[in-house]
Amino acid sequence: EAGVAQSPRYKIIEKRQSVAFWCNPISGHATLYWYQQILGQGPKLLIQFQNNGVVDDSQLPKDRFSAERLKGVDSTLKIQPAKLEDSAVYLCASSLDQLAGGQIRGEQFFGPGTRLTVL
Amino acid sequence: AQSVSQHNHHVILSEAASLELGCNYSYGGTVNLFWYVQYPGQHLQLLLKYFSGDPLVKGIKGFEAEFIKSKFSFNLRKPSVQWSDTAEYFCASSMNTGFQKLVFGTGTRLLVSP
């Protein structure tokens, strides 16, 4: 089974430029997540999609970050304009939702991430 | 709000030593708990998870974790580590309602010397 794919793997940009990341989840996984992992910290959820609808974007800085998941499969995350503090690894994950015990459960499978450096 | 604390940021052990990594969560309700591992150059992957039932959870590669509700803890253990266990370990929690929203700790870097 193919894993979660992400591209590019590395990106270096200057502040105020824009950048986009792409994610292709595992086939059949309805839920897709974008995380930001700053050096020395754990991943922080930015946005969560269920099919092509947003479930949670409470921690997404909406003045500069946007994400979409057209057709409920691939997703893109965009930053415009980038700031120095956006330097981080951006992780995409997907899960196959299973209803159990009154909640949605499913192991999240992570992609390799995109390492963004903002100069 | 949920939060997860991992107090050991760096741990160095010799092969065959026993391992215990601390994890504490703060959330008043029922939680799900997870340990993830990231080996050098690899993706984050799930080691083990706790949703309910037996508080002693066994995962892959000989790891186990114990959920102690009274201590808000979910410590990771392995009786005898190997050089191949060198990795970064993340504890995470999610609320036991609705969709899973994982909240991660800051991680613990484990170095096992041969």
Side-chain angles (χ1 to χ4, degrees):
Chain A
E1 171 180 88
V4 176
Q6 290 187 248
S7 68
R9 293 294 309 277
Y10 305 91
K11 189 73 177 178
I12 301 174
I13 61 172
E14 295 186 346
K15 60 184 179 183
R16 292 187 289 272
Q17 286 187 321
S18 62
V19 64
F21 313 126
W22 173 82
C23 172
N24 180 235
I26 293 173
S27 177
H29 282 195
T31 308
L32 184 147
Y33 313 77
W34 283 102
Y35 290 86
Q36 179 192 56
Q37 186 175 13
I38 294 172
L39 187 65
Q41 300 180 20
K44 181 184 83 171
L45 181 69
L46 291 175
I47 188 167
Q48 179 178 349
F49 291 94
Q50 172 76 2
N51 295 310
N52 60 349
V54 175
V55 172
D56 188 332
D57 64 357
S58 57
Q59 298 191 98
L60 186 73
K62 298 180 186 64
D63 58 332
R64 299 184 298 107
F65 286 65
S66 64
E68 59 182 12
R69 191 183 183 197
L70 301 176
K71 302 181 181 178
V73 182
D74 294 6
S75 177
T76 56
L77 176 70
K78 296 179 182 178
I79 308 175
Q80 181 177 13
K83 293 185 175 181
L84 297 177
E85 58 261 37
D86 298 332
S87 293
V89 176
Y90 290 85
L91 298 167
C92 180
S94 69
S95 65
L96 178 65
D97 300 326
Q98 297 163 321
L99 184 60
Q103 71 162 192
I104 307 294
R105 295 178 180 176
E107 178 181 342
Q108 294 186 29
F109 292 85
F110 284 81
T114 296
R115 184 176 297 276
L116 173 68
T117 302
V118 182
L119 303 175
Chain B
Q2 293 181 82
S3 68
V4 175
S5 300
Q6 293 181 248
H7 303 294
N8 312 106
H9 298 295
H10 294 90
V11 173
I12 301 174
L13 294 173
S14 300
E15 275 194 315
S18 63
L19 170 71
E20 181 161 3
L21 301 182
C23 172
N24 289 93
Y25 66 93
S26 70
Y27 175 62
T30 305
V31 294
N32 303 316
L33 295 160
F34 309 82
W35 276 97
Y36 281 82
V37 62
Q38 188 165 26
Y39 297 103
Q42 296 188 26
H43 309 178
L44 266 174
Q45 58 183 281
L46 185 66
L47 261 184
L48 48 80
K49 60 190 176 188
Y50 172 79
F51 286 118
S52 62
D54 189 344
L56 185 61
V57 180
K58 295 194 183 297
I60 61 172
K61 306 187 181 187
F63 286 90
E64 64 178 30
E66 185 174 12
F67 170 56
I68 303 179
K69 189 175 181 179
S70 61
K71 295 184 178 180
F72 295 89
S73 70
F74 190 58
N75 292 355
L76 181 70
R77 300 193 294 245
K78 186 171 184 178
S80 176
V81 294
Q82 301 172 319
W83 175 79
S84 57
D85 293 324
T86 294
E88 189 159 19
Y89 294 81
F90 293 92
C91 183
S93 72
S94 69
M95 291 188 288
N96 194 21
T97 56
F99 288 95
Q100 273 191 51
K101 174 181 175 179
L102 289 178
V103 174
F104 284 86
T106 54
T108 298
R109 286 189 180 273
L110 172 65
L111 175 63
V112 180
S113 58

